[in-house]
Amino acid sequence: MATPNDRAVLQSILNPSTPFGDLSGVDVLEESDAVDDDEAYNPELLKCVQDLEVAGVLAAESGHLAEAIKKFNEAIRLLPDRPSAHNNRAQVLRLQGDVTGALEELDKAVALSCGKGRSACQALVQRGLVYRLQGRDESAHEDFQHAAGLGSQFARQQLALMNPYAALCNRMLTQMVEKLRNPNVQQN
């Protein structure tokens, strides 16, 4: 019943900070331009690798990071040119504090995906976030711009936040809302 734009608004309200909560089909590439990351793989081998990745994600979510790395390593051993497992391993490496290793994995994922498709989009968003944390805003901006072109609403939000005029507007809006909430408080 709701339009894609209505669903996008609800998605951004309910999950404003999730980079992977982007709604497919909303202001993204045409379906014919989309890249199916997995169409070139043997279906049985792909299923095995996907099961390993799911097990790795579950292990990571449970705090078993070493077990998650083992699962992703095995997935990469079976299909070394599939970017998804590199994305997932990068996430665990980042959680372990190995930012250099995470960036290497994200670089591999972007290269293997040729900068196209869901895996590229996710890798670019992850790498852009790491770059922001490192203060490498120009590199972050490039990655977010590429990911936004692949359909990531989260990347678009990051680009807006990086815009100095948007930051000024956000500060002004925050001050106005605070003044409306607390009219008797003097602000500097």
Side-chain angles (χ1 to χ4, degrees), residues 1-186:
M1 197 121 91
T3 69
N5 285 334
D6 293 339
R7 288 192 302 273
V9 169
L10 286 173
Q11 178 72 7
S12 67
I13 291 169
L14 297 174
N15 299 303
S17 62
T18 146
F20 306 119
D22 293 341
L23 200 61
S24 61
V26 178
D27 196 21
V28 296
L29 300 172
E30 292 297 317
E31 196 64 34
S32 60
D33 295 336
V35 174
D36 183 359
D37 290 342
D38 294 327
E39 66 186 16
Y41 302 111
N42 172 304
E44 291 152 9
L45 183 57
L46 178 61
K47 173 74 168 106
C48 178
V49 167
Q50 288 172 328
D51 289 346
L52 283 166
E53 286 190 63
V54 168
V57 169
L58 292 173
E61 288 175 348
S62 300
H64 300 103
L65 301 182
E67 181 63 25
I69 288 287
K70 287 180 186 176
K71 298 292 185 188
F72 297 136
N73 287 345
E74 181 63 12
I76 291 168
R77 186 187 69 74
L78 292 171
L79 286 177
D81 62 339
R82 185 169 183 266
S84 177
H86 292 280
N87 274 341
N88 288 320
R89 186 162 69 179
Q91 194 72 326
V92 176
L93 290 171
R94 192 186 55 75
L95 290 172
Q96 291 178 324
D98 183 2
V99 176
T100 301
L103 283 174
E104 289 171 2
E105 289 298 318
L106 293 170
D107 290 343
K108 283 180 195 172
V110 172
L112 289 170
S113 66
C114 299
K116 298 177 183 171
R118 177 180 290 235
S119 292
C121 188
Q122 291 177 345
L124 289 161
V125 167
Q126 284 188 66
R127 194 170 68 180
L129 290 170
V130 172
Y131 286 159
R132 286 278 328 257
L133 290 173
Q134 293 178 330
R136 297 169 59 186
D137 286 348
E138 190 172 316
S139 296
H141 188 273
E142 289 174 17
D143 278 358
F144 289 141
Q145 196 150 19
H146 190 163
L150 294 173
S152 173
Q153 185 62 34
F154 181 82
R156 287 187 189 107
Q157 291 169 349
Q158 291 302 304
L159 287 168
L161 291 173
M162 292 177 78
N163 180 328
Y165 295 112
L168 178 62
C169 289
N170 284 338
R171 270 197 306 274
M172 291 170 51
L173 182 60
T174 300
Q175 289 172 351
M176 288 177 22
V177 168
E178 189 60 34
K179 192 172 184 177
L180 288 172
R181 286 183 182 157
N182 301 309
N184 297 330
V185 175
Q186 289 287 340

